[in-house]
Amino acid sequence: MSETSRSRFVAPLAVVTVLAALVAGLGGFFIGRNSVAPPAESSADVGFVRDMYEHHGQAVEMSLIFREKTQNTTLRAIAYDIATSQGNQMGQMEGILKVWGYPMTRTGAPMAWMSGEDAQGGHTHSSGGHVQPNGMMAGMASAEQLQQLRGATGVAAEKLFLQLMITHHKAGIEMAKAGSELADTDYVKTLATKMHAGQTAETALLESELAKLG
């Protein structure tokens, strides 16, 4: 693919993703304006939103890298859906943090919010199993893996993308489950529950497509 063709392909998808994020961000703003007082910055609500925003960001990045590498229409559609749906959710998460008056930047260690309790005083989670030895959140691809994805072609690229995204989604599912249990605000509970359902369904689809590749 020529550089001109590549730029024509990547730009429209990037624009769609950005627009989806902006629209969702405005939605989060108006929802947040009518909400109760914002949770504390140390809350599971804020911690979940910040960490999941970062987690989603890499899923969008991997999907954009991969989509231009394959002619498999099913996998192209999956990559597009992941990029747009998670870009939309990133907009929602950025919007609610702005409403609450908190920066996007994490103030402590990743996944520290998982050591708390939910509104009913139960469902404690340990953050230890959700952070890799290199300090990255569980499921996050390393810089080396992302470079491998950029350099891969053909079926090798398809297999690598599916493997990385399955690992990424499975960790996201655990995060979403914890977020739905530990968050105090209805907004975050609902968002986390939707993420859990969506990524669970997508993971099954990704595993099915990987099995087809042998």
Side-chain angles (χ1 to χ4, degrees):
M1 180 183 293
S2 68
E3 289 300 320
T4 299
S5 298
R6 182 177 293 109
S7 64
R8 286 176 179 171
F9 169 72
V10 174
L13 181 57
V15 169
V16 168
T17 304
V18 170
L19 288 177
L22 290 174
V23 171
L26 289 174
F29 173 78
F30 289 114
I31 291 172
R33 286 184 62 184
N34 297 311
S35 301
V36 295
E41 188 168 10
S42 59
S43 68
D45 301 71
V46 175
F48 167 78
V49 169
R50 282 174 170 165
D51 282 347
M52 190 59 88
Y53 182 92
E54 181 180 340
H55 212 261
H56 271 26
Q58 190 182 77
V60 171
E61 179 184 7
M62 289 195 294
S63 297
L64 292 175
I65 290 172
F66 169 72
R67 191 170 183 267
E68 65 177 302
K69 291 178 170 292
T70 180
Q71 298 303 313
N72 184 313
T73 55
T74 299
L75 297 184
R76 283 171 60 84
I78 290 173
Y80 179 86
D81 286 346
I82 292 173
T84 53
S85 64
Q86 296 208 10
N88 180 291
Q89 290 172 350
M90 288 175 70
Q92 295 180 54
M93 290 185 282
E94 183 173 6
I96 196 61
L97 280 181
K98 287 182 178 178
V99 170
W100 288 342
Y102 297 129
M104 296 300 299
T105 307
R106 185 192 304 112
T107 56
M111 309 304 289
W113 57 274
M114 290 187 71
S115 299
E117 295 183 342
D118 67 6
Q120 287 72 46
H123 298 291
T124 57
H125 294 259
S126 170
S127 62
H130 297 276
V131 180
Q132 301 180 55
N134 61 9
M136 298 178 70
M137 289 180 284
M140 295 285 278
S142 66
E144 291 76 16
Q145 288 173 319
L146 290 178
Q147 191 59 38
Q148 288 175 3
L149 182 60
R150 291 188 181 95
T153 59
V155 176
E158 294 170 355
K159 286 185 176 180
L160 181 57
F161 169 74
L162 290 169
Q163 290 165 349
L164 292 176
M165 194 60 74
I166 288 168
T167 299
H168 198 274
H169 266 26
K170 286 183 175 179
I173 290 168
E174 291 301 313
M175 288 175 63
K177 182 176 185 293
S180 67
E181 293 174 348
L182 298 176
D184 290 324
T185 63
D186 289 339
Y187 184 85
V188 174
K189 281 182 174 294
T190 299
L191 184 61
T193 299
K194 289 180 179 178
M195 290 176 180
H196 185 277
Q199 292 195 45
T200 297
E202 279 186 345
T203 298
L205 178 58
L206 293 168
E207 290 177 332
S208 175
E209 292 301 316
L210 181 59
K212 292 177 184 177
L213 297 178

